[in-house]
Amino acid sequence: MTIKRVQTDILILGSGGAGLFAALHAHQADPALSITVAVKGLLGKCGCTRMVQGGYNVALAEGDSVERHFMDTIEGSKWLADQDLAWTLVTTAVERIHELENELGCFFDRNPDGTVHQKAFAGQTFDRTVHKGDLTGIEIINRLAEQVWARGIHRLEEHRAVELIRTADGSALAGVLLIDMRSGEFVFVQARAVLLATGGGPTMYKYHTPSGDKSCDGLAMALRAGLGLRDMEMVQFHPTGLLAGTHTRMTGTVLEEGLRGAGGWLVNGNGERFMSRYDPRGERATRDIVSRGIYAEMRAGRTTPNGGVYIQMSHLGPDKVRRQFKGMVERCADCGFDLAGGQVEVVPTAHYMMGGVVFREDCSTGLAGLFAAGEDTGGVHGANRLGGNGVANSTVFGGIAGDSMAQWLRSRAGFRAPDETAIARSMAQHEAPFAQAAGDLEPVRDALYECMWSDVGILRTAEGLQRALQTLADLEQQLARIGVAGADRAYNLAWHDWLNLQNLIAVSRAIATAALAREDSRGAHFREDFPASGDLQGSAYTVVSQCGDRLALAHEPVRFTRVRPGESLLEEPEQRPAAIS
């Protein structure tokens, strides 16, 4: 198999908010750098940032503060977040939102007095979510993509990254092996610095929000490269994923948090509002609590025709709902539901991975030459991400990564030679399915969906997690025996489905391993056999790493660098308003 070779100073894997911000900041820091963005789809048209509906958390309004935003983030994380990363998030978000508006041209919704409108989102003590209707992600990505195109930054579109390639002595990263999906040929990009910003995308669950091309590629590559992944047990389920039946891929897509923030009701199959049974805040509780409440109703059999519950907005006035949530009203109408005037079936849907690569505030990692930002990283959100903190995370740390890579390269000249044996070995491994008789991948995919939803989902037990680890081992072996037809490798979707499943199974093992090791319940991770949250003062996070064919797990103590459990950065915490959700 032939291989094409390319050189670039900076290689950015992914074109979401993190990747595009990194490209722009690196270019601004040093316009002489050659910068290349490699993306599995088309730049500006794929990825999760574009799909963001809700908005961007930032402390702008009178009465709010970065300290309040920080405390909401830390308390939402159940005290597992890296506090220095969280502080960087909330402070730099203020700078980044002005950059989005004033330099990149984003238009966000305004109040009558001209100030930026900020709406209520779950788990926060202040209305701080900046938005453009319910299509915030499209606005951000369109403006970022325009600026990247205008600067002549190189693009490798429809190129999927498959391996991080070290130097022969293993001391640093030399580049990345990719597959050009348009031709099927391998491409090795030798880069002086690489940013891992492919995004997470928990599409191993039966119900999930990301598009089907998201398959945790970055996390799988990081595992194979021996990097540690922290907080992998923390998979967030959004409570209200559209439940439109098995015949459409619209099932699982998000109906955003603003619906509940605006006063929407959750109603079970018996016509009863039920969230007050699970939390005094009702529908405005945090995502983990609402998801568990819905799941409990489902297990009790109080379900809608498709097996979920309803969200109802009609009591707020259909015209108001159509005006405030135009995009979602239209999306639901496409699937035959009337969001403004009726009821829509919903189900908890796997939405976001709080876990990821261990990284530092400057976005560097444990592998020299590799930087990481966005959902590929862990530590910013701890056990639970607040809605609206996700796109803030991507844009904040994406910009930091671009600045850091440009700064790092100033004192490092030349390219590092790759381990040619590692390149050949990876090519052979990724071509392995062509050596097997072509088979059906759907039974593997369906079994993975069921395994992760039932045993590594919203409610977990040791028995279920052990069963899941055995199932995942069996699926890994089953996939290895299934081949794909290789007569034409150009746009060979079966091949890429096979590679997607391989990565999803690998990352699923990491999730289940970390979940089994955490014998308490924090945020998105709930153990029915260990329902207590444990000692907050002694909080520790999990780190999973791959050693050969097995996974190793360690517990690392959380460093309370700014505030300890029971304390607050706010001067008068007793006077803080009650959480709106």
Side-chain angles (χ1 to χ4, degrees), residues 64-141:
D64 200 6
S65 65
V66 293
E67 290 82 6
R68 186 181 296 281
H69 187 187
F70 174 80
M71 289 307 304
D72 287 346
T73 298
I74 293 302
E75 290 172 358
S77 81
K78 305 305 178 187
W79 297 92
L80 289 184
D82 181 300
Q83 295 191 3
D84 293 335
L85 292 175
W87 183 254
T88 300
L89 170 73
V90 302
T91 54
T92 312
V94 180
E95 171 190 330
R96 202 67 86 230
I97 202 73
H98 292 308
E99 186 178 351
L100 282 164
E101 277 212 309
N102 301 333
E103 297 182 30
L104 300 176
C106 288
F107 286 93
F108 299 116
D109 287 7
R110 322 295 288 197
N111 294 312
D113 65 359
T115 57
V116 174
H117 181 262
Q118 293 178 276
K119 62 183 177 181
F121 248 37
Q124 301 187 72
T125 60
F126 207 92
D127 297 359
R128 65 168 64 92
T129 306
V130 174
H131 64 105
K132 181 178 177 63
D134 57 0
L135 300 171
T136 310
I138 290 176
E139 176 69 9
I140 291 173
I141 286 295

Side-chain angles (χ1 to χ4, degrees), residues 233 462 465-466 514-522 525 527 529-535 542 555:
E233 70 273 26
L465 292 166
Q466 289 164 347
L516 183 61
R518 177 170 288 284
E519 295 183 337
D520 61 23
S521 292
R522 298 278 187 101
H525 170 75
R527 288 282 296 265
D529 46 354
F530 293 98
S533 60
D535 175 24
T542 61
H555 293 273

Side-chain angles (χ1 to χ4, degrees), residues 82 95 114 138 146 204 231 237 361 400 503 524 569 572 581:
D82 181 300
E95 171 190 330
I138 290 176
E146 288 169 356
M204 65 282 286
D231 299 325
F237 284 78
E361 291 167 72
I400 290 171
N503 287 343
L569 293 188
E572 298 179 340
S581 37

